[in-house]
Amino acid sequence: MVTFLLERTVPLSLDEAWRRLTEWPRHGEVVPLTRVTVTTPPPTHVGSRFVARSGVGPLSFGDPMEVTVWEPPGEETPGLCRLEKRGRVVTGWAEIEVRPGPGGRARVVWREELGVRPLPALFDGVLERTARYVFGRAVNRLLRQP
């Protein structure tokens, strides 16, 4: 199990940064070999569920997630979303926080605890570096694309 933190300050309103990060199918557009399917009706709320399916053919796996905290940002108040990973292969949680940043920009904080079964702890360093790279690129792309 690894934990990592990503932080970004972007020239977006809080609402726009939040929208770009919490439209779940968009994550499949920016993470290689991944498709995201929302399995509950919109809009997103506590209890919403979706599955990120990654890989190719028989070498793919699902990463089912459930929203356990859903607090969209206000004009000057931060927003917080917490996702619990409910799968057999990928475990852990992720938190997406969007809060006021300097100069009227949005400050994004992405925290994640990630485990991959049956990967032994010996591979935690590789898992952390890989996750930081993949999720860092995904966050950058999500925030850049309207």
Side-chain angles (χ1 to χ4, degrees):
M1 190 74 67
V2 299
T3 303
F4 61 94
L5 173 75
L6 303 168
E7 296 182 272
R8 304 289 189 269
T9 300
V10 293
L12 299 170
S13 69
L14 298 183
D15 284 343
E16 183 60 15
W18 179 263
R19 182 192 68 77
R20 290 182 187 193
L21 291 168
T22 62
E23 286 184 355
W24 311 121
R26 288 171 43 99
H27 288 242
E29 297 169 12
V30 299
V31 177
L33 303 174
T34 299
R35 182 187 52 175
V36 176
T37 305
V38 178
T39 59
T40 52
T44 298
H45 56 281
V46 170
S48 290
R49 293 181 304 280
F50 56 94
V51 178
R53 179 155 291 286
S54 298
V56 178
L59 299 176
S60 65
F61 60 90
D63 179 8
M65 291 173 251
E66 181 177 346
V67 175
T68 59
V69 174
W70 182 255
E71 299 170 358
E75 281 189 33
E76 293 295 320
T77 58
L80 178 65
C81 175
R82 182 176 172 99
L83 307 170
E84 296 286 339
K85 295 175 175 286
R86 305 282 193 212
R88 290 180 287 154
V89 176
V90 180
T91 62
W93 51 265
E95 288 181 345
I96 302 166
E97 182 180 357
V98 177
R99 60 182 179 219
R105 297 179 291 170
R107 183 75 176 154
V108 173
V109 179
W110 182 297
R111 296 175 198 87
E112 186 149 350
E113 181 181 272
L114 178 65
V116 178
R117 291 184 192 136
L119 203 61
L122 171 70
F123 292 96
D124 281 357
V126 172
L127 178 60
E128 181 182 359
R129 286 188 299 278
T130 302
R132 186 180 299 281
Y133 175 77
V134 169
F135 286 101
R137 278 187 55 153
V139 167
N140 291 346
R141 288 175 152 179
L142 288 167
L143 291 169
R144 269 192 239 120
Q145 296 175 1

